[in-house]
Amino acid sequence: MARSRGPRISRRGLLAGGAAAIVAPAMHTEPPQPLELWYRQPAEVPPAGAANEWQNGSGWLHALPVGNGSLGAMVYGGVVDERCQLNEQSLWSGERQDSDDAAAFSHLSEIRALLFAGRYVDALNVTAKRFVCRGPGSSSGNGAAAQYGSYETLGDLLITSPGHERFTNYRRSLNLDSAIASVQYTVEGVRWRRQTFASAPAAAIVTQITASTPGAITCTVRLSRIEAAQTSATGHGLLRSAISLKGGMKAVVLLQAVADGGSISVEGTGLRIDGATALRLIVTAATNYRSDAYEEVADANLRRAASSSFAALRSAHLRSHRRLFRRVSLRLGANGGAAQPTDEWLKTGTADPALAALYFQFGRYLLISSSRPGGLPANLQGLWAATIQTPWNGDYHHDINDEMNYWPAEPTNLAECHKPFLQYIDSLRKPGRKTAAAYYGSSGWVVHTISNVWGFTSPGEWPSWGQYPAAAGWLCQHLWEHYEFSQDRAYLRRVWPILRECAEFFLNTLTEEPSHNWLVLAPSISPENSFRTADGQVGSVCYGPTMDTGILHNLFEHCIQATHTLGEDAALSRRLRHALDRLPPYQVGRFGQLQEWIEDFEEPEPGHRHMSHLFALHPGSQITPRGTPDLARAARASLERRLAHGGGATGWSRAWIVNLWARLENGNEAWTHLKALLHGSTLPNMFDTHPPFQIDGNFGGCAGIAEMLLQSHAGEIHLLPALPDAWPSGSVRGLRARGGFEVDITWSRNRITEAAVTANADRVCRVRSVRRLQLAPSSTAVQRPEPNLLVFHALRGVRYLLAPPT
Ligand code: FUC
């Protein structure tokens, strides 16, 4: 957003003029949108002690996730056998390791020379031998037994209720607005109800069981884990599971049963409850990842929660969840499908916009549940993983996956949920400095494709996916976006050293290629894609791929802006500008496409899932339909070419495509691909599937919907930039725009009927819409540089109403 001062109007003058002031929130006119996932049958609970292959089988993918940002559960909704599969986000195998190869730097010039001589396959071979991590790295995504480690399940809470075999009126659900998973059924006239939530304020998972007949609750409760756990029951309704993993990771899970009436006794390693009227189960857990006093932490949390009533726990949980969740509401019309259970709704394949609205809010729900301040960032599975060996180690992949996880954070008004990621990026700085020195002989910090919770920043074990230094620049985009949306200068000052050190790394590492003297990263890759060399071989390691240009352009521009905003480092700013001017330009290839590499190579896999070379269109902002129409056309040609060859096959790839079409302002194409995501890559519990389950598509799809409704990357707020014909009427409230704005939009018959913009500080506001709008009613001075572009000076906290002329 431009920060120059526009028309100067005093607050007094504005209010004196009468009418612009704060107006009541826009009323929704569309039918209420469902905020619930619901099912007619339990998720199939696997037999006790079953090995972990079942994660991608039937049961877990029907179970419903709850989470408080670090502690989570998958609730199956079983009747006789209920299972809540538990997770704690820092429970990782593996350990800190020194995976940098100190000799790597001595091979850098050789690799570069091979690349610049066009000997790509030779360069790949030397890189594979001399310029990868030491040791097995991620072990091809199977690192559970290696030092790299894997994110692991915490175990299960198992509740057995004998005599409940013949149940009727079954229903289970997850309400996104209350963040409570519920199960209800009837057995012989007794109505049973279980509610489970993961409370952030209580740092606990709480399950309450009630029955309509006093004294009816008789069940057993156990904690279990496939391996490496010692479980014990003590008197007073307490269970304890102590986990100890090879690398030194330790965890404890505690459960306190609190019964109204009846009795609790120890039965083996579990508890037996007899004749209770209500039963409350409190679960807390902690690991030694952050503190050796983890047992005390879990214990204190347990005692605090167990001494609160269910009503008090529930209302504190609701307050904490709704404070975040209710900031945004979305209605997209038609919700006929909501009458069906969610698994059936997903299967029907009908184009129901309300399903998209539910998916959008589910994405926000998942982010709130898996990423809260103080915790670790949402990993490849958010925080829900049922196995010892989680696919791809459940780690942090920086070549699309973890960035996509956080695309919705700022626009969908969950900036707090972005913080774990921002802190995690900061934590990579220290190991990343060592990696920068070992491989590039450079100061600054760098990270490559993958990281774990142990600070892994080395290149991955195989260069075609692992040699990706630009990752550090992409991560820094998130630090900047948090500032762009908030305009919080104190925050920018705090993170500036991270950005600066990253920029310094790239300034040191960029090198001149011989043909045009452009500055390039070498060796690099265009994530996970390959190309055919002139002599017909397949290469991957390259120099100056288009994505690097997009990422470095972003990083350097942001750093330049930061130096201006913070009044610092004019010399650095000049160096960055100089380097920016010498990055490779965007090139258009033989198909009219945006070229992915510095040469217009043939592609063995033209439908590749990664959309890396389109970074500048999204999530970057250098290519826009109005600002760079020729490049936007080339980007579109690239996208169409990918699609013509089967692109979008994985969930996250499809979600990226939605965002790309939204940036091309093509709502109908965005909707087509959103439907493909909903009906092709979504599991019964609404988790995205790669396959297997990978949460990035959930977040990317959620962000894509926001991107269809509101964009703010081109120095202006663009209302409904990509509204599909299929969403003729709707409303959205509480989306955020860069520049420090909050925006509401209501539309009908595909045209805006009303919008509202609120700024978090006095500043110029530029609003674009397809339809001519005016500030209504208001005395605020408005400029109209283009028919559909309004510019005015917004005052802090005033809600400006925009409407078509009457
Ligand atoms: C990247 C992708 C894969 C997968 C993995 C977790 O490597 O290319 O498709 O999403 O991350």
Side-chain angles (χ1 to χ4, degrees):
M1 236 342 115
R3 292 194 48 79
S4 62
R5 286 185 83 80
R8 290 182 66 103
I9 296 148
S10 74
R11 182 182 292 266
R12 216 159 157 261
L14 177 85
L15 294 177
I22 302 146
V23 292
M27 293 300 291
H28 288 301
T29 47
E30 307 71 45
Q33 300 284 280
L35 284 175
E36 190 186 58
L37 280 60
W38 75 277
Y39 304 82
R40 287 205 178 99
Q41 69 291 326
E44 192 186 325
V45 176
N52 55 21
E53 289 81 52
W54 50 264
Q55 179 182 336
N56 293 309
S58 55
W60 198 82
L61 306 176
H62 294 252
L64 296 171
V66 296
N68 70 1
S70 56
L71 193 58
M74 292 293 283
V75 182
Y76 280 69
V79 178
V80 176
D81 291 305
E82 168 62 314
R83 177 181 199 136
C84 292
Q85 184 269 315
L86 306 169
N87 284 105
E88 205 284 345
Q89 212 169 16
S90 63
L91 183 63
W92 266 74
S93 54
E95 60 194 311
R96 282 192 193 281
Q97 62 172 322
D98 181 3
S99 51
D100 288 332
D101 182 349
F105 179 54
S106 63
H107 297 279
L108 181 60
S109 39
E110 181 193 353
I111 296 167
R112 285 178 172 170
L114 290 170
L115 287 170
F116 295 153
R119 292 170 57 188
Y120 293 103
V121 175
D122 293 334
L124 168 64
N125 291 336
V126 178
T127 308
K129 254 205 216 113
R130 306 289 183 197
F131 212 77
V132 289
C133 57
R134 278 201 311 149
S138 75
S139 301
S140 307
N142 290 298
Q147 282 183 304
Y148 188 89
S150 172
Y151 183 51
E152 295 194 357
T153 178
L154 186 67
D156 301 299
L157 157 60
L158 301 167
I159 306 169
T160 308
S161 304
H164 286 212
E165 289 78 8
R166 295 164 63 113
F167 61 91
T168 55
N169 297 327
Y170 180 91
R171 187 179 199 276
R172 74 187 163 103
S173 62
L174 175 66
N175 185 302
L176 304 182
D177 182 51
S178 64
I180 296 180
S182 305
V183 184
Q184 292 178 57
Y185 57 88
T186 304
V187 180
E188 290 169 8
V190 180
R191 192 83 191 122
W192 291 85
R193 186 165 187 217
R194 269 200 310 267
Q195 297 177 72
T196 302
F197 57 86
S199 164
I205 292 173
V206 179
T207 295
Q208 151 119 327
I209 304 175
T210 53
S212 59
T213 304
I217 301 172
T218 292
C219 61
T220 58
V221 177
R222 283 181 302 134
L223 290 174
S224 92
R225 191 174 193 269
I226 309 164
E227 59 176 54
Q230 292 253 332
T231 310
S232 57
T234 56
H236 314 294
L238 185 67
L239 293 182
R240 184 172 192 278
S241 169
I243 298 165
S244 180
L245 306 185
K246 208 177 85 205
M249 169 64 72
K250 290 189 181 356
V252 68
V253 190
L254 300 175
L255 179 147
Q256 177 73 60
V258 185
D260 283 355
S263 64
I264 304 180
S265 53
V266 173
E267 191 180 271
T269 55
L271 298 172
R272 181 182 168 85
I273 290 88
D274 272 298
T277 292
L279 177 66
R280 184 151 42 92
L281 305 174
I282 313 282
V283 175
T284 63
T287 73
N288 66 348
Y289 180 65
R290 288 220 164 84
S291 159
D292 285 338
Y294 66 103
E295 289 177 280
E296 287 86 334
V297 171
D299 195 51
N301 289 336
L302 187 77
R303 269 186 280 140
R304 222 187 16 250
S307 64
S308 307
S309 69
F310 180 73
L313 288 167
R314 186 176 181 276
S315 63
H317 160 70
L318 289 179
R319 263 198 312 282
S320 148
H321 175 72
R322 287 181 173 155
R323 189 178 63 79
L324 298 167
F325 186 76
R326 287 194 170 173
R327 284 181 189 159
V328 175
S329 65
L330 173 64
R331 295 173 187 223
L332 294 178
N335 64 359
Q340 309 169 70
T342 307
D343 44 352
E344 288 170 28
W345 198 8
L346 287 164
K347 262 193 265 168
T348 53
T350 54
D352 194 334
L355 185 62
L358 182 65
Y359 194 83
F360 171 83
Q361 292 291 25
F362 186 55
R364 295 185 65 247
Y365 167 87
L366 291 174
L367 197 61
I368 296 169
S369 306
S370 62
S371 188
R372 290 261 201 150
L376 284 161
N379 60 37
L380 282 169
Q381 299 195 177
L383 61 66
W384 300 276
T387 50
I388 297 297
Q389 176 60 67
T390 300
W392 287 289
N393 301 318
D395 68 2
Y396 299 97
H397 269 59
H398 315 307
D399 62 353
I400 177 62
N401 315 91
D402 58 6
E403 290 96 348
M404 181 177 278
N405 281 2
Y406 285 92
W407 286 352
E410 301 289 337
T412 80
N413 219 331
L414 297 173
E416 294 93 329
C417 299
H418 208 173
K419 286 186 180 165
F421 192 43
L422 307 179
Q423 270 152 10
Y424 179 71
I425 294 166
D426 188 18
S427 79
L428 296 177
R429 206 155 40 126
K430 195 167 156 214
R433 284 183 190 132
K434 216 167 74 41
T435 301
Y439 289 80
Y440 306 92
S442 173
S443 59
W445 70 276
V446 69
V447 59
H448 297 78
T449 313
I450 51 168
S451 301
N452 52 14
V453 296
W454 308 118
F456 186 95
T457 49
S458 315
E461 63 268 25
W462 184 250
S464 65
W465 57 263
Q467 179 46 40
Y468 179 54
W474 194 348
L475 293 181
C476 282
Q477 186 193 24
H478 285 260
L479 298 169
W480 177 258
E481 291 266 294
H482 190 68
Y483 166 71
E484 277 256 83
F485 278 86
S486 66
Q487 299 291 307
D488 178 350
R489 283 187 199 206
Y491 156 80
L492 183 60
R493 193 167 290 287
R494 283 199 303 280
V495 297
W496 168 237
I498 315 174
L499 294 167
R500 191 193 57 218
E501 254 192 81
C502 184
E504 275 169 9
F505 167 80
F506 288 115
L507 283 175
N508 290 340
T509 311
L510 282 166
T511 186
E512 251 183 34
E513 53 79 44
S515 317
H516 313 86
N517 303 337
W518 293 330
L519 291 181
V520 295
L521 294 180
S524 183
I525 53 168
S526 190
E528 315 204 17
N529 204 356
S530 57
F531 53 84
R532 208 173 290 287
T533 60
D535 57 1
Q537 300 188 74
V538 174
S540 53
V541 167
C542 64
Y543 60 94
T546 302
M547 186 182 222
D548 286 2
T549 298
I551 288 176
L552 294 181
H553 180 94
N554 239 17
L555 175 69
F556 290 0
E557 280 291 355
H558 296 160
C559 286
I560 292 168
Q561 284 183 49
T563 59
H564 295 162
T565 306
L566 300 174
E568 284 204 4
D569 260 337
L572 174 65
S573 169
R574 280 192 298 277
R575 278 180 73 201
L576 289 166
R577 177 63 59 206
H578 187 65
L580 259 180
D581 294 342
R582 298 188 54 203
L583 292 176
Y586 292 108
Q587 303 183 74
V588 177
R590 68 190 111 150
F591 305 106
Q593 90 284 15
L594 192 68
Q595 229 170 270
E596 184 160 352
W597 292 275
I598 215 151
E599 294 180 48
D600 194 7
F601 289 124
E602 258 183 52
E603 302 158 279
E605 213 188 315
H608 196 264
R609 62 195 180 284
H610 284 261
M611 307 289 153
S612 314
H613 54 314
L614 304 184
F615 179 94
L617 177 63
H618 184 278
S621 55
Q622 210 183 341
I623 297 181
T624 60
R626 260 173 298 283
T628 57
D630 293 344
L631 291 179
R633 253 193 305 281
R636 180 182 172 132
S638 283
L639 184 54
E640 285 173 338
R641 189 170 148 71
R642 277 286 204 266
L643 290 167
H645 292 85
T650 71
W652 60 256
S653 178
R654 187 70 70 188
W656 198 348
I657 290 167
V658 173
N659 285 273
L660 290 165
W661 279 118
R663 284 282 173 96
L664 289 169
E665 300 178 9
N666 191 324
N668 288 338
E669 286 292 346
W671 175 226
T672 297
H673 292 280
L674 186 58
K675 283 187 288 185
L677 180 67
L678 287 169
H679 298 295
S681 298
T682 301
L683 297 162
N685 62 1
M686 241 184 174
F687 272 163
D688 165 65
T689 182
H690 184 287
F693 161 48
Q694 216 172 276
I695 207 161
D696 37 27
N698 285 105
F699 293 132
C702 171
I705 293 166
E707 206 68 40
M708 291 163 78
L709 301 172
L710 180 72
Q711 292 176 15
S712 62
H713 57 284
E716 54 193 37
I717 294 171
H718 192 169
L719 307 173
L720 302 187
L723 187 71
D725 297 336
W727 300 356
S729 64
S731 62
V732 63
R733 269 197 283 149
L735 290 181
R736 284 169 84 233
R738 290 173 189 80
F741 297 96
E742 224 174 272
V743 179
D744 305 338
I745 314 168
T746 305
W747 67 97
S748 171
R749 295 192 201 149
N750 298 85
R751 293 159 77 95
I752 294 176
T753 52
E754 185 180 283
V757 178
T758 313
N760 68 1
D762 294 4
R763 58 175 49 108
V764 172
C765 179
R766 302 162 65 84
V767 184
R768 178 180 295 279
S769 59
V770 178
R771 190 176 194 186
R772 188 185 161 94
L773 296 179
Q774 59 192 32
L775 219 52
S778 166
S779 63
T780 303
V782 167
Q783 290 169 2
R784 198 180 279 281
E786 292 172 38
N788 295 343
L789 186 63
L790 281 180
V791 183
F792 60 98
H793 194 84
L795 299 175
R796 177 171 183 266
V798 175
R799 190 167 183 274
Y800 292 88
L801 208 57
L802 296 116
T806 41

